[in-house]
Amino acid sequence: MKVLVTGGMGYIGSHTCIALHEAGITPVIYDNLSNSSIRVLDQLEKITQQRFDFVEGDINDSAKLAKTMVEHSIEAVFHFAALKAVGESAEQPLRYYQNNVSATTTMLLTMAEVGIKAIIFSSSATVYGDPKYLPIDETHPISSTNPYGWTKVMVEQILEDNCKANQDNLAIALRYFNPVGAHPSGLLGESPNGIPNNLMPFIAQTAVGRREFINIFGNDYDTADGTGVRDYIHIMDLATGHVAAFLAHQKDAGFLAYNLGTGEGYSVLEVINAFEKSSNKQVPYKFAPRRAGDIACNYADASLAKQKLNWTATLDLQAMTDDSWNWQSKYPNGLE
Ligand code: NAD
Ligand code: UD1
């Protein structure tokens, strides 16, 4: 079976291609390379001994999408392609709504045109806005605090409406908590452009000497050590979660949403400590004021995925920092 992986050259999409391949599902990658390197394809080949089909294209380009879907006899779409920087989304909201919402609608129309009925969508725990209670389950109210988050809320709504109107369609929204880590080979991982917004790549770049120290945003939260707590999930667990969701619902229809997290929270200081152990290096840090928009604590109720998908995260924080360091030390500047 062949599936289209939009954004498959990016961080999460590329690791999911490995998990798909291992499950006997053939990924065809469709990506405009706006936030990824063509060298990902070589790395995927080194890991899987397989050269995946790749089409350089934009999901706004309906004609190219349709041609790709038909030529490869695509049966489902794993939709990762999106812009993802929260701060940037507040500065350029229209660009985010265009790329993440309008282009997704274009793609859904194209899927309908060529008769593809199943989509697995990269959503985010950001759709829960400020948590009203913890752990967060899938029935928690939906909202957002920034345009990026609203694009995820909107696409989920579009998928749900589309499934209501077309009762043989399947849409699964996977709400990721905080994806981190890298493939255990060290050949593939996350390498953000510019200054990383997220914690783990910032720590990794500090440990490898690219940055002098890390700012810890707030040490006065109501948490055990005062620093923010998040549900970090290993990228390979996240990847197998996609495969589990797809296989469990292959014969189903309707709109479904699942949290993909571990259900456990770790503080910024705990992550730094684990990273120091993995790298055998000191990670200098300074306490800085809270970052605007941050919350104290966030972690998933991951029981629905366990129950319905027979999937659960298996890799712990030490595996996340071990693999992150393995990748960062092999490729200190990413693949460029
Ligand atoms: P990424 O930037 O590494 O990957 C996204 C890929 O999509 C890139 O390769 C980019 O070139 C491509 N792309 C973007 N717009 C495109 C377009 N119009 N046409 C074709 N290709 C396009 O990001 P990621 O971290 O792998 O995230 C993947 C998905 O998961 C995104 O939808 C993101 O919003 C979502 N998500 C990510 C996180 C996270 O922490 N990384 C958390 C929750 C949800
Ligand atoms: C952020 C996004 C969220 C997105 C997620 C993707 C914001 C407000 N939220 O979540 O929408 O879905 O990334 O993974 O941007 N931290 C530091 N120093 C740093 C970086 C982070 O102390 O240099 C702290 C943060 O305050 C937080 C924790 O580390 O407590 C995790 O931060 P981050 O990796 O940015 O993820 P989120 O804020 O959870």
Side-chain angles (χ1 to χ4, degrees):
M1 175 192 289
K2 282 189 178 181
V3 300
L4 193 72
V5 183
T6 75
M9 299 293 270
Y11 174 46
I12 305 172
S14 60
H15 289 81
T16 302
C17 285
I18 300 169
L20 285 166
H21 170 76
E22 285 171 354
I25 301 166
T26 305
V28 174
I29 300 174
Y30 189 92
D31 197 303
N32 65 4
L33 298 178
S34 60
N35 196 36
S36 47
S37 161
I38 187 68
R39 292 184 59 198
V40 166
L41 216 51
D42 298 332
Q43 303 304 94
L44 286 171
E45 187 172 356
K46 286 181 204 157
I47 293 167
T48 63
Q49 267 76 60
Q50 187 78 40
R51 188 77 180 175
F52 294 144
D53 285 326
F54 166 61
V55 177
E56 184 174 347
D58 195 296
I59 54 164
N60 286 290
D61 186 344
S62 181
K64 195 178 238 183
L65 258 181
K67 186 167 179 275
T68 307
M69 288 168 173
V70 170
E71 275 182 6
H72 290 274
S73 309
I74 296 296
E75 293 185 41
V77 174
F78 284 64
H79 182 37
F80 297 91
L83 301 170
K84 62 165 182 177
V86 172
E88 187 183 68
S89 79
E91 288 154 19
Q92 306 171 24
L94 297 182
R95 189 170 154 239
Y96 272 69
Y97 289 120
Q98 203 291 321
N99 197 69
N100 293 8
V101 183
S102 307
T104 297
T105 312
T106 299
M107 192 189 74
L108 290 167
L109 285 166
T110 310
M111 286 170 63
E113 214 177 277
V114 304
I116 299 172
K117 298 180 192 309
I119 180 168
I120 313 294
F121 171 61
S122 296
S123 189
S124 167
T126 195
V127 301
Y128 297 122
D130 287 332
K132 306 264 182 286
Y133 57 84
L134 291 169
I136 300 185
D137 62 17
E138 288 83 352
T139 63
H140 184 286
I142 299 296
S143 79
S144 184
T145 53
N146 57 73
Y148 165 74
W150 283 118
T151 69
K152 296 296 178 192
V153 173
M154 287 175 189
V155 171
E156 284 203 8
Q157 186 64 51
I158 290 168
L159 293 173
E160 189 170 356
D161 290 344
N162 192 45
C163 285
K164 271 188 204 142
N166 299 281
Q167 297 211 343
D168 55 352
N169 276 28
L170 169 72
I172 307 176
L174 298 177
R175 296 173 179 161
Y176 313 154
F177 278 69
N178 290 52
V180 296
H183 189 265
S185 64
L187 292 168
L188 200 59
E190 184 179 19
S191 64
N193 292 328
I195 301 170
N197 295 308
N198 296 117
L199 180 67
M200 191 69 92
F202 207 109
I203 294 177
Q205 292 191 7
T206 307
V208 86
R210 280 177 67 183
R211 313 207 172 266
E212 220 181 313
F213 64 90
I214 174 159
N215 279 312
I216 296 184
F217 299 137
N219 62 343
D220 55 353
Y221 283 111
D222 186 14
T223 60
D225 63 24
T227 66
V229 167
R230 296 291 183 275
D231 185 338
Y232 298 95
I233 174 171
H234 194 293
I235 186 73
M236 293 317 299
D237 275 333
L238 192 71
T240 59
H242 288 75
V243 177
F246 180 56
L247 293 179
H249 290 296
Q250 238 180 320
K251 295 193 167 58
D252 297 333
F255 174 80
L256 301 160
Y258 289 101
N259 287 341
L260 293 184
T262 66
E264 268 191 74
Y266 290 101
S267 73
V268 175
L269 282 171
E270 284 175 307
V271 178
I272 291 178
N273 286 338
F275 209 100
E276 286 183 331
K277 215 161 137 194
S278 299
S279 60
N280 209 14
K281 295 203 182 290
Q282 239 203 318
V283 178
Y285 63 81
K286 290 184 185 171
F287 290 119
R290 292 180 178 193
R291 183 172 64 179
D294 269 1
I295 48 179
C297 227
N298 195 18
Y299 52 92
D301 177 338
S303 58
L304 189 68
K306 187 173 183 190
Q307 197 190 334
K308 302 274 187 197
L309 310 179
N310 198 21
W311 171 90
T312 185
T314 57
L315 298 162
D316 64 10
L317 179 63
Q318 204 61 56
M320 299 179 210
T321 56
D322 282 357
D323 290 334
S324 178
W325 173 246
N326 188 25
W327 152 252
Q328 188 70 50
S329 51
K330 279 199 173 86
Y331 294 91
N333 298 308
L335 294 175
E336 292 310 323

